[in-house]
Amino acid sequence: MKTKNILLTTLMSSVLFIASQSAVAAPVNAFMTVASQQSFAETTQAIQEAATNNQMMVMGKIDQAKVMSMTGLKMEGAQSFLIGSPQSGKKLFSMFPAAGAVVPVRLYVWEQNHKTSIGWFNPAEQLTMISPKLQMPGKMLEKKIMNIAVQASRN
């Protein structure tokens, strides 16, 4: 009986340990995408206006198609935008400076088979991984990023 209890306790401890390690290692970042109804050029141009309409700004751009062409890879279109707000950033950074790993949010626009898409990682989930206290501001930021992507994707 004693041996059975020891085995049961050991088994339960092992299961709990494995479950806790799986929860830590499991990816929780949701990659969001919006299919654009516009061309690549029109979508990338619309990002600036959509960001402004949502009280955000384009803080930087990376022409990834151009960078990748240095390796010989020809891409139809690939550009990243760093989208943020100094006011929102100030609040997040003052709460948790590690928020800088998430904001500004990187919005990626690419063209594949003559279809343009906009993609990004959900900042609400990423900020919550830094601290549960950042969940609500993260959700507000995610809503703005979704609005920007939807607005930039429409005619």
Side-chain angles (χ1 to χ4, degrees), residues 33-38 50 118 120 144-155:
T33 58
V34 170
S36 181
Q37 299 170 0
Q38 303 192 88
I118 304 170
W120 68 97
K144 285 188 176 202
I145 295 298
M146 176 63 83
N147 287 340
I148 291 167
V150 169
Q151 289 171 20
S153 69
R154 295 197 175 147
N155 293 330

Coordinates of all heavy atoms in Angstrom, one line a residue, residues 33-38 50 118 120 144-155:
T33 N -3.6 38.3 -39.4 CA -3.5 38.7 -40.8 C -4.8 39.3 -41.3 O -5.8 39.0 -40.8 CB -3.1 37.6 -41.7 OG1 -4.1 36.6 -41.6 CG2 -1.7 37.0 -41.3
V34 N -4.6 40.3 -42.2 CA -5.7 40.9 -42.9 C -5.3 40.8 -44.4 O -4.3 41.3 -44.8 CB -6.0 42.3 -42.5 CG1 -7.0 43.0 -43.4 CG2 -6.5 42.4 -41.0
A35 N -6.2 40.3 -45.2 CA -6.0 40.3 -46.7 C -6.4 41.7 -47.2 O -7.5 42.2 -46.9 CB -6.8 39.2 -47.3
S36 N -5.5 42.3 -48.0 CA -5.8 43.6 -48.5 C -6.6 43.5 -49.8 O -6.3 42.6 -50.7 CB -4.5 44.4 -48.7 OG -4.8 45.7 -49.2
Q37 N -7.5 44.4 -50.0 CA -8.3 44.5 -51.3 C -7.5 45.4 -52.3 O -7.9 45.5 -53.4 CB -9.7 45.1 -51.0 CG -10.5 44.3 -50.1 CD -11.8 45.0 -49.7 OE1 -12.0 46.1 -50.1 NE2 -12.6 44.3 -48.9
Q38 N -6.4 46.0 -51.8 CA -5.6 46.9 -52.6 C -4.3 46.3 -53.0 O -3.9 45.3 -52.5 CB -5.4 48.2 -51.8 CG -6.6 48.9 -51.3 CD -6.3 50.3 -50.8 OE1 -6.3 51.2 -51.6 NE2 -6.0 50.4 -49.5
A50 N -3.9 55.6 -42.2 CA -4.7 54.8 -41.2 C -4.1 54.9 -39.8 O -4.8 55.0 -38.8 CB -4.7 53.3 -41.7
I118 N -1.5 41.9 -44.7 CA -0.9 42.7 -43.6 C -0.9 41.7 -42.4 O -1.9 41.1 -42.1 CB -1.7 43.9 -43.3 CG1 -1.9 44.8 -44.5 CG2 -1.1 44.7 -42.1 CD1 -2.9 45.9 -44.3
W120 N 0.8 40.9 -38.3 CA 1.5 41.3 -37.0 C 1.2 40.3 -35.9 O 0.3 39.5 -36.0 CB 1.0 42.7 -36.6 CG -0.5 42.8 -36.2 CD1 -0.9 42.7 -34.9 CD2 -1.6 42.8 -37.0 NE1 -2.3 42.8 -34.9 CE2 -2.7 42.8 -36.2 CE3 -1.8 42.8 -38.4 CZ2 -4.1 42.8 -36.7 CZ3 -3.1 42.9 -38.9 CH2 -4.2 42.9 -38.0
K144 N -6.4 49.2 -31.9 CA -6.0 50.2 -32.8 C -5.2 49.6 -34.0 O -5.4 50.0 -35.2 CB -5.1 51.2 -32.1 CG -5.9 52.2 -31.2 CD -5.0 53.2 -30.7 CE -5.9 54.2 -29.9 NZ -5.2 55.5 -29.8
I145 N -4.3 48.6 -33.7 CA -3.6 48.0 -34.8 C -4.5 47.3 -35.8 O -4.3 47.4 -37.0 CB -2.5 47.0 -34.2 CG1 -1.5 47.8 -33.4 CG2 -1.8 46.2 -35.3 CD1 -0.6 48.8 -34.2
M146 N -5.5 46.6 -35.3 CA -6.5 45.9 -36.1 C -7.2 47.0 -37.0 O -7.4 46.8 -38.2 CB -7.5 45.1 -35.3 CG -8.6 44.5 -36.2 SD -8.0 43.3 -37.3 CE -7.9 41.8 -36.3
N147 N -7.6 48.1 -36.4 CA -8.3 49.2 -37.2 C -7.4 49.7 -38.3 O -7.8 49.9 -39.4 CB -8.7 50.3 -36.3 CG -9.9 50.0 -35.4 OD1 -10.6 49.0 -35.7 ND2 -10.0 50.7 -34.3
I148 N -6.1 49.9 -38.0 CA -5.1 50.4 -39.0 C -5.0 49.4 -40.1 O -5.1 49.8 -41.3 CB -3.7 50.6 -38.3 CG1 -3.8 51.8 -37.4 CG2 -2.7 50.8 -39.4 CD1 -2.6 51.9 -36.5
A149 N -4.9 48.1 -39.8 CA -4.8 47.1 -40.9 C -6.0 47.0 -41.7 O -5.9 47.0 -43.0 CB -4.5 45.7 -40.2
V150 N -7.2 47.0 -41.1 CA -8.4 47.0 -41.8 C -8.6 48.2 -42.7 O -8.9 48.1 -43.9 CB -9.6 46.8 -40.9 CG1 -11.0 47.0 -41.6 CG2 -9.6 45.4 -40.2
Q151 N -8.3 49.4 -42.2 CA -8.5 50.6 -43.0 C -7.5 50.7 -44.1 O -7.9 51.1 -45.2 CB -8.3 51.9 -42.1 CG -9.4 52.1 -41.1 CD -9.1 53.2 -40.1 OE1 -8.2 54.0 -40.3 NE2 -9.8 53.2 -39.0
A152 N -6.3 50.2 -43.9 CA -5.3 50.2 -45.0 C -5.5 49.2 -46.0 O -5.1 49.3 -47.2 CB -3.9 50.0 -44.4
S153 N -6.3 48.2 -45.7 CA -6.6 47.1 -46.7 C -7.8 47.4 -47.6 O -8.0 46.6 -48.5 CB -6.8 45.8 -45.9 OG -8.0 45.8 -45.2
R154 N -8.6 48.4 -47.3 CA -9.8 48.7 -48.0 C -9.6 49.7 -49.1 O -8.8 50.7 -48.9 CB -10.9 49.1 -47.1 CG -11.3 47.9 -46.1 CD -12.6 48.2 -45.5 NE -12.9 47.0 -44.7 CZ -13.6 47.1 -43.6 NH1 -14.0 48.2 -43.1 NH2 -13.9 45.9 -42.9
N155 N -10.4 49.6 -50.1 CA -10.4 50.7 -51.2 C -11.0 52.0 -50.7 O -11.9 52.1 -50.0 CB -11.2 50.2 -52.4 CG -10.5 49.0 -53.1 OD1 -9.3 48.9 -53.0 ND2 -11.3 48.1 -53.7

